[in-house]
Amino acid sequence: MKAFYKSSFSKSASSIYGDLPDPVANTKQLLIEVKAVSINPVDYKLNNADTKFLPGAKLPKIVGTDFAGIVRKAAEGVSEFMIGDRVYGAVSIFLGKPGSMAELLVTEPKNARHIPEFMTYEEAASLPVAALTALNGLRRCGINVGNNLLINGATGGVGHFAVQIAKAKGAKVTATCSQKNSDLAKELGADVTIGYTAAEKANISVPFDAIFDAWGQMKYKDYSPILKKDGTYASPLILFAPAFMTNLIWLFTRKKITSSNMRKRPEDYAEIEKLFSEKKLKPVIEHIFPLEKASEAFEFAEKGRPRGKIIITI
Ligand SMILES: NC(=O)c1ccc[n+]([C@@H]2O[C@H](COP(=O)([O-])OP(=O)(O)OC[C@H]3O[C@@H](n4cnc5c(N)ncnc54)[C@H](OP(=O)(O)O)[C@@H]3O)[C@@H](O)[C@H]2O)c1
């Protein structure tokens, strides 16, 4: 099969497009013909990293997390998935497991969901990591109807889903984004948009009930003054502030600082799928590349400041 994979652990050796043996599913696994995958920052961060320290590291290492495709071999004793079913989901590439950027993927049924009606493979592949991370970030923010919410980095993969989910939950959304993306942020539902310059940020007068930092790298000195007492700041990145620091901040300021990873329980997927079917959530797909151009797609995702998601089709 064709795949996009790392053939060396070295960080200077990015993934290559080429042939690998077809994977073989055991009786408990699904064999999926992959139709589309999306790129998330974790994919290019791993692509650029020395991966020999990953748990269970081995070569060749197929990269990629999100996938959408068709079941070609069903697991025994699992009635939920049949040959020919359209499925999507996210795989873990740790513990020696293969990523999704290949013609064929072998994975456990727990990593797959049926693709809802009227959802394309490209749309399905765009959702898992980014939309579920946005959903969990907003959950951590405790968003309710009428809450005043700031979403920082509002038109990227995570941010553009966060704006739509927050609006569906009835929040008043202020979005920060590059000037060129201001119209997109408004189309997604943002009530107010702000650029990144100090002058534009200085216009923020209302303190927010919550701040979801989809970009993930805001500084405490920037978000604390615009966050209400009892408000929450959530970032999808691991925060390096030690727990005692965040506890101290909570004690003295009553401001909660939290890290919010992707959470992928069935009820999380179901919430995203419901929003999609109600037309309250629609992936923005900036660019679609074929698998043989995966290197270009990675370059664009990492350096091209994409809007929404970058998809690779197979
Ligand atoms: N922990 C998890 O489970 C998890 C899951 C998914 C993502 N993440 C992390 O979340 C982060 C965002 O992921 P993503 O998929 O949304 O990435 P992305 O698609 O590359 O989007 C990045 C966003 O950041 C914005 N941005 C760039 N410079 C900025 C600045 N100086 N101030 C504010 N915003 C800025 C960009 O906006 P403009 O283009 O308008 O400048 C863009 O909207 C990444 O670091 C990723 O690793 C974590």
Side-chain angles (χ1 to χ4, degrees), residues 39-42 44-45 129-130 133 152-160 176-181 196 201 213-218 235-238 259-263 301-302 305-309:
I39 301 179
N40 292 288
V42 64
Y44 54 73
K45 286 175 191 172
V129 170
T133 301
N152 185 48
T155 56
V158 174
H160 92 288
T176 56
C177 56
S178 300
Q179 173 110 46
K180 70 177 171 70
N181 294 333
Y196 300 136
K201 283 189 179 155
D213 183 9
W215 178 51
Q217 299 175 55
M218 277 180 97
S235 160
L237 293 183
I238 295 165
S259 183
S260 60
N261 277 324
M262 166 200 190
R263 197 182 88 175
E302 189 177 356
R305 306 288 286 250
R307 295 143 55 97
K309 299 290 297 175

